[in-house]
Amino acid sequence: MLANVSEKSYAAEARYTNFYAGNDIAWSENGEHFYCLNGAVVNQVDVQTSQIVCSFGVSGSSENDSGNKRKSNGLDDVEIDEDNIYCFAISREHLITAHGSGLLRLWELNTQKLVKLWKAQHKGPVVRIEFSTCGKLICTSGGADATLRLWDFANNSCLCALKDFPGPALLLRFHPSPLKREIYAVGSDNTIYCWNYDTKTLLHKMRGHISQVTGLSFQSAAKDCNQLVTVSRDKVLIVWELELESSTWNQLKVIPLYEELEGVTHLADGAQLLVACGNGKLLQIDTKTFKIRDLLIKTDFEISRLLYCCLKQQLGLVTTEQNILIYDVTADPKETEVELCKQLVGNNDEILDMCFLGDNDRYLAVATNSKHFKLYDTEQNMNCKLIAGHTDTVMSLAASHSLLISVGKDCSIHLWKLSHTEACHLQPLTQQSNCHTSTIGSVAFTHNGATGFASACQDGSMKVWQLSRDKREENSYSFALRYAALAHDKEVNCVTYALNNKILATASQDKTAKIWAAEANNLLGVLRGHTRGVWCVRFSPVDQVVLTSSSDCSLRIWSIANFSCLKRLEQECTILRAEFLDHGKFILSAASDGLLKLWNIKTNICVQSIDEHTDRVWSLAVSTGSNRFFYTGGADSKLIRFGDVTETVRNEVLDQRQEMLQQEQTLQSLLHAQEQLEKAFRLALTLDKPKASYDIICHFVRKRDSSTVRQLVDQLNIDQRLALLKHVKAWGTNSRHSLVANLVLQHLLGDALNSPQKLYNSGNLVEVLTPYVQRHFKRVSELNKDLAFMEFIVKCM
């Protein structure tokens, strides 16, 4: 046990997973939570911490359930299978989800319980669902029928079915005034239909758009509201006015905006309009003069939805990459200003690379199969900033204190600097395009002060760059090519510098790793031995060795002096990344099956296996300052923080050992004094002491006190009975103990037969009964022989 105490141990401290996969998203009225659709669940996400508070849905209703079949929290007698959610809607008190099976499920927001479940009665799945303003009615639109159904869920009834329009309705809105019994729906012909659902009559048909209508906003929530605005992907905004005399909606103003429009909302008591364009622009329009003003002009984000929280006066823009940008809105009747205050990452896709930067490794830069990479503040609830600049996927990141380099598929190199005046912000310093002829797959900074960096390309080339800074201007940097080399015959997967910056290493799919002189284009040696492509190469921080990981499922440690292989460590599948830990004493490896392994270099033993990921682990980021924590990310989109729990584990093991010693001492004292034998018996079972438990049973057997033996067995729980069963198996192997073993086994088998909930593992019973059966079979066989001999004697006489 002491040997186990001294080993290194890490455990997951925090997990950051995807909470939004696109489609429906809603903002709570108080502005504290987002409700995001993610497959079979709707996640309630805290806006401040970006963490999932709870999940609504079949697979999210209970964390302790296992398997595909789960029981809902509210309806305990209904078993439900995992069922994807197509759409949802929220009110102040409830959340309604529409599932692929055609079921509608109503949840309480406060208790997260399922309170009602019924069939939607539509042909095909429900594609749009909406609560009424009062929150007591629900309107649904089916995907394969041209029908709207209105539900009174409190009375378990369908109030009406509205059929006079070409469905399905991809946009549903109730009139914001609860006194107005009207519902608006956009049909497949891009016409806006209005019904009075009390009288079930069609009131209006509003024709004007020629493409999908994406937004509808009323000027006010008053009953006499006579103006609404619609936007569409036909690049036109239409202002509609209700004429009281004819009770018809007419086009008051048609404004061409020359951009595909994705959302609209009224501000400042209806005096201003905010319109979100698909290309990321945000426009302000005065509802009286209809003057247009650009609020956000230059942006690299494509917008898919617009959300607005009146209580907090904040605007939410949802991007096509499932990121949420939150802006503080300063609105008045004349002018509106917006300021970015928060960014949430709803979906990371594959995490390709990551690195630390800043003082004490405060910030974590993460590349996620996107042209925008993320900058997380690890000390502020993982507050995130989306960094735009690349035109294609960012593949690799490298940092040196406050400087960061990003490279990717656009063949460009971008240099960034961490801002000291603004939290979680990167300043673009300089960039160069067409630095390589193909995707740049890896980049590495020099150590102990950034004086240069190296980049590796998928065409097999490597380039070494000189980095310089203008002494007169703090943020004036430039980099120039020092030399270029055709490093490998195939794709270069990794490049890295040694700690002294004098040599660097490359790893390639051509099954080799190479050592180069950093100052000149000079190949020092080739590391040959891997039978498949080499994914990663790392220099030891303390020894003159280099580490490589490969698709041949092995880690190899090589000598820099003679380039020979010193050690080989085997794993079950492709090892994608490897890093030195704890000042070169341990190796952390990440494999294609998602398994992390921690290796002791001295003993060549895997001291820990960590199974937290479900897919390939592409990246590792180890804190160089403390070496006490690291982050991992991979194809399962999970970003996980691991912390060093060696001291905690050591203390727990030592406490368990001390407690066990105390229990053993108590057991010996009780046996010696022949007191409290019931307590001693339970201690013997807990400590797994068959000899002690046998002596206690024998003590009562000698006194012919069978009732006490029966009472001892009856008072045991299931775990203690299983422990006693193991002891009986140990006793049964010796014929001298068979009497006691058979007596206890009789009580255990009787309980198993009379109480089904106390049945033991059949394998355990077989092992226990085998010596018993063998012994009695031998005894019966001997008796048969004696009986046959006696019959022979009798017949002879």
Side-chain angles (χ1 to χ4, degrees), residues 43 86 188 202-203 281 294 326 340 436 442 483 517 520 542 629:
N43 294 317
Y86 282 8
S188 58
L202 180 65
L203 301 179
K281 287 184 180 180
D294 293 328
I326 302 175
L340 183 64
H436 284 269
S442 181
Y483 69 85
V542 292
F629 67 91

Side-chain angles (χ1 to χ4, degrees), residues 28 34 68 78 106 133 142 176 186 197 250 294 320 337 385 421 427 444 478 519 592 596 659 712 737 777 792 794:
S28 63
F34 281 112
N68 289 333
V78 179
L106 186 71
T133 307
V186 180
Y197 53 81
N250 296 322
D294 293 328
T320 54
E337 298 294 337
K385 184 70 175 291
T421 58
Q427 301 175 353
S478 62
E519 298 296 330
S592 59
L596 303 175
E659 183 181 359
L712 282 177
H737 305 153
F777 178 76
F792 174 74
V794 170

Side-chain angles (χ1 to χ4, degrees), residues 253-461:
K253 193 76 174 179
V254 178
I255 305 175
L257 297 178
Y258 309 106
E259 302 286 351
E260 291 188 0
L261 308 178
E262 297 294 338
V264 63
T265 185
H266 278 86
L267 298 178
D269 297 327
Q272 300 289 339
L273 280 172
L274 283 186
V275 182
C277 304
N279 62 357
K281 287 184 180 180
L282 187 64
L283 305 176
Q284 172 200 338
I285 302 177
D286 190 288
T287 56
K288 292 183 179 179
T289 63
F290 299 107
K291 289 183 178 180
I292 303 173
R293 176 170 167 260
D294 293 328
L295 294 180
L296 296 176
I297 302 176
K298 185 179 179 181
T299 177
D300 292 318
F301 306 111
E302 296 180 1
I303 304 301
S304 62
R305 289 176 184 268
L306 180 145
L307 306 171
Y308 183 68
C309 178
C310 297
L311 184 64
K312 290 200 171 185
Q313 290 190 342
Q314 288 182 333
L315 179 73
L317 297 180
V318 183
T319 72
T320 54
E321 293 185 343
Q322 293 84 48
N323 300 316
I324 307 169
L325 313 178
I326 302 175
Y327 295 84
D328 284 327
V329 179
T330 305
D332 57 57
K334 293 184 178 180
E335 194 172 274
T336 301
E337 298 294 337
V338 294
E339 182 180 356
L340 183 64
C341 63
K342 182 78 175 179
Q343 301 183 25
L344 282 73
V345 178
N347 195 310
N348 267 326
D349 204 357
E350 288 195 53
I351 299 177
L352 303 179
D353 198 12
M354 63 177 72
C355 66
F356 285 104
L357 72 157
D359 297 332
N360 301 319
D361 294 333
R362 174 176 175 177
Y363 296 100
L364 180 70
V366 181
T368 59
N369 199 22
S370 167
K371 63 181 180 180
H372 309 125
F373 66 93
K374 283 87 175 176
L375 184 66
Y376 290 92
D377 188 343
T378 61
E379 296 181 2
Q380 297 295 328
N381 293 321
M382 293 297 283
N383 185 28
C384 180
K385 184 70 175 291
L386 301 174
I387 309 298
H390 285 271
T391 59
D392 207 342
T393 303
V394 178
M395 297 293 294
S396 182
L397 301 167
S400 176
H401 190 56
S402 61
L403 293 179
L404 177 75
I405 284 183
S406 59
V407 298
K409 291 184 177 181
D410 57 3
C411 305
S412 65
I413 298 176
H414 290 243
L415 182 65
W416 313 79
K417 185 177 182 181
L418 193 65
S419 175
H420 296 289
T421 58
E422 186 178 352
C424 200
H425 179 69
L426 284 177
Q427 301 175 353
L429 298 179
T430 184
Q431 70 177 71
Q432 287 189 21
S433 301
N434 301 319
C435 295
H436 284 269
T437 60
S438 185
T439 299
I440 307 175
S442 181
V443 64
F445 253 126
T446 55
H447 300 278
N448 303 321
T451 59
F453 62 91
S455 59
C457 181
Q458 289 185 354
D459 61 7
S461 65

Side-chain angles (χ1 to χ4, degrees), residues 57 147 160 164 304 322 364 404 466 566 632 635 707:
T147 304
C160 61
D164 298 331
S304 62
Q322 293 84 48
L364 180 70
L404 177 75
Q466 178 69 40
L566 303 178
T632 62
S707 61

Side-chain angles (χ1 to χ4, degrees), residues 430-501:
T430 184
Q431 70 177 71
Q432 287 189 21
S433 301
N434 301 319
C435 295
H436 284 269
T437 60
S438 185
T439 299
I440 307 175
S442 181
V443 64
F445 253 126
T446 55
H447 300 278
N448 303 321
T451 59
F453 62 91
S455 59
C457 181
Q458 289 185 354
D459 61 7
S461 65
M462 175 189 67
K463 292 186 178 181
V464 178
W465 307 81
Q466 178 69 40
L467 181 64
S468 57
R469 181 173 70 90
D470 191 340
K471 296 182 179 179
R472 293 173 295 180
E473 296 185 21
E474 181 181 359
N475 293 329
S476 179
Y477 284 81
S478 62
F479 54 90
L481 182 64
R482 178 178 291 175
Y483 69 85
L486 184 59
H488 293 271
D489 297 331
K490 292 184 179 181
E491 176 183 344
V492 182
N493 293 323
C494 182
V495 61
T496 185
Y497 274 92
L499 203 59
N500 60 6
N501 296 327

Side-chain angles (χ1 to χ4, degrees), residues 133 171-177 180 182-185 192-194 204 206 215-230 239-240 242 249 264-267 269-273 287 310:
T133 307
L171 185 64
L172 283 176
R173 289 288 186 275
F174 280 86
H175 195 283
S177 173
K180 276 275 203 178
E182 294 178 353
I183 185 169
Y184 293 77
I192 303 160
Y193 295 81
C194 174
H204 311 289
M206 304 159 64
L216 186 151
S217 178
F218 291 86
Q219 187 175 26
S220 69
K223 180 182 179 182
D224 57 350
C225 174
N226 61 352
Q227 188 180 107
L228 65 86
V229 175
T230 58
V239 181
W240 303 85
L242 179 64
W249 286 97
V264 63
T265 185
H266 278 86
L267 298 178
D269 297 327
Q272 300 289 339
L273 280 172
T287 56
C310 297

